[in-house]
Every structure is written in C-alpha cells, then in structure tokens.
Amino acid sequence: MKFALKTALLTTMLSVATLAQANFVEGQDYKVLPNPETIVGDVIVVREFFWYGCPHCYHLEPHMQKWAKTRPADVAFFQTPAAMNPVWEVGARGFYAAQQLDAQEKTHQALFYAVHKDGNRNIISSQQELGNWYASKGIDKAKFDSLYNSFAVTTKIERAKAAATRYGLSGVPAVVVHGKYVVSGEDAKVPQVVDFLINKVREEKQ
C-alpha cells in the first residue's frame, strides 16, 4: 500500500514537472501580437486583464495570486481591470478607487468572492451598490465616491481601455506578457505558460 502511494506521488510529481517544462505552442497555448509593444528597460512586464463579473477570471485569480507571490525579481506584475464597456467600467472604477485608498489587497479577492461565491452580482451594477459594498469592508464611502469619477481614476480607466485596444483584446481573462504575448485560460496552466513566455522574453533580450 505504501509502495503504491509513493509510486502515485512520484508519478504526479513527474507529471507536474513535465508540464512546467513543456514547450508550449504558439496559437494553441498563447498568441503573439501582430504589433508588439516596445517596453524599454530590464524589467519584464506582465499584465492581467480581468472583470469582476467574469467567472473565468474568478477561477484564474487564485492561480495568478499564487504565481505573483513567487514571481522572479525581474518581473513586474500589474492587475488591470478591463473597462471595455460601460458595464465593466463600474467594477474597474471601483478597483482603482480602492487602489487610491490603499485597499486593493484587502478588497480585490473579497469582491470576486462576493460576486461569484455569494452570488451577489448586483454589487457591480452601479456606483451606489459598489460603494455600499466597499463601505461594508471598512472603506470610507464618501472618499470612495469622491474618487470614483475623479481625474486620477478616470486617467487610469482611459489607460486601461487604451491598453486593451492596443493588445487587441476581445475578452477576459487575458494575461499579456511584455506587450507581445497573450495567454488566455482559467486554470493553473496559465501561470506556467506565463513563466515559459517570461523565459522566452529573456532569451529575446540577449
């Protein structure tokens, strides 16, 4: 019995190791943007585009959060709420308002849970509903409301829109690696493909 258990464990470890070292395929595991963005400097930039109402984004988020905690030192990671239409923009403005209040870490995953685990999609339907939810998490509602349509948040929204357009995104989740590669999906394979592409970018820089 112990032998069988050890054998099964070894097989699982080898399978994980094999997947991690896999030679992922363009067009199948990721796509190359036709007009890559030029990013100057030694840092490799990874951007995760999401929408709080997207179930696929909800499933991907824990995997990306785990990856972010152990990402290489030369990799910068940015979470970017997709504001590709007025409905999505509500949550995006909430994200950036919370960010301005240094509450992103406290509220980001919690909002995903509230929408998908608790089934309260109404939260992201309007500024009023969203503001009430953030207030329930200890955020000053007056400050939240003052930031929601502020110049600072609106500027970030416009940049997020421009980035989504520049990368040719038609949906989320989408993880863009160094302005050149786009990875889609909702499982643990996504960060593995991201790591593969990070190594690819390093090789291209040499």
Side-chain angles (χ1 to χ4, degrees):
M1 184 67 178
K2 289 183 178 180
F3 175 76
L5 183 60
K6 289 181 179 179
T7 301
L9 181 59
L10 179 61
T11 301
T12 301
M13 291 173 65
L14 288 173
S15 296
V16 172
T18 300
L19 183 59
Q21 297 171 7
N23 186 25
F24 295 109
V25 180
E26 177 186 343
Q28 179 178 317
D29 302 302
Y30 65 92
K31 71 175 183 179
V32 180
L33 293 174
N35 298 301
E37 179 181 19
T38 300
I39 299 177
V40 180
D42 297 327
V43 175
I44 298 173
V45 179
V46 175
R47 298 183 69 171
E48 175 197 10
F49 288 81
F50 68 92
W51 172 48
Y52 282 119
C54 167
H56 305 294
C57 300
Y58 168 64
H59 291 136
L60 174 63
E61 193 60 22
H63 301 297
M64 290 305 297
Q65 288 296 315
K66 182 179 180 180
W67 170 86
K69 291 177 181 177
T70 59
R71 72 183 186 275
D74 63 339
V75 175
F77 176 55
F78 300 97
Q79 292 170 311
T80 305
M84 296 160 68
N85 58 62
V87 174
W88 291 15
E89 189 173 321
V90 174
R93 285 186 175 277
F95 173 87
Y96 284 128
Q99 190 178 73
Q100 293 289 106
L101 294 167
D102 294 322
Q104 176 184 337
E105 186 174 346
K106 175 183 178 181
T107 60
H108 179 61
Q109 191 66 53
L111 183 50
F112 264 125
Y113 284 146
V115 173
H116 298 279
K117 190 174 181 179
D118 300 335
N120 194 351
R121 296 184 66 85
N122 195 49
I123 291 172
I124 53 175
S125 65
S126 68
Q127 176 184 349
Q128 180 65 30
E129 293 290 340
L130 196 58
N132 289 338
W133 181 84
Y134 276 105
S136 75
K137 297 301 176 182
I139 306 301
D140 187 307
K141 191 171 186 301
K143 290 182 179 179
F144 176 86
D145 286 336
S146 69
L147 285 167
Y148 186 86
N149 286 307
S150 67
F151 176 78
V153 167
T154 298
T155 298
K156 288 178 179 291
I157 289 292
E158 292 307 314
R159 287 175 179 171
K161 289 179 179 179
T165 299
R166 184 166 64 250
Y167 300 140
L169 303 184
S170 58
V172 289
V175 182
V176 180
V177 180
H178 213 58
K180 182 174 182 179
Y181 304 106
V182 180
V183 185
S184 300
E186 60 179 78
D187 56 24
K189 180 182 175 182
V190 172
Q192 293 174 352
V193 179
V194 169
D195 280 335
F196 168 81
L197 293 172
I198 287 171
N199 287 328
K200 192 173 180 63
V201 170
R202 287 198 189 101
E203 293 172 357
E204 292 167 352
K205 283 175 171 288
Q206 295 178 355

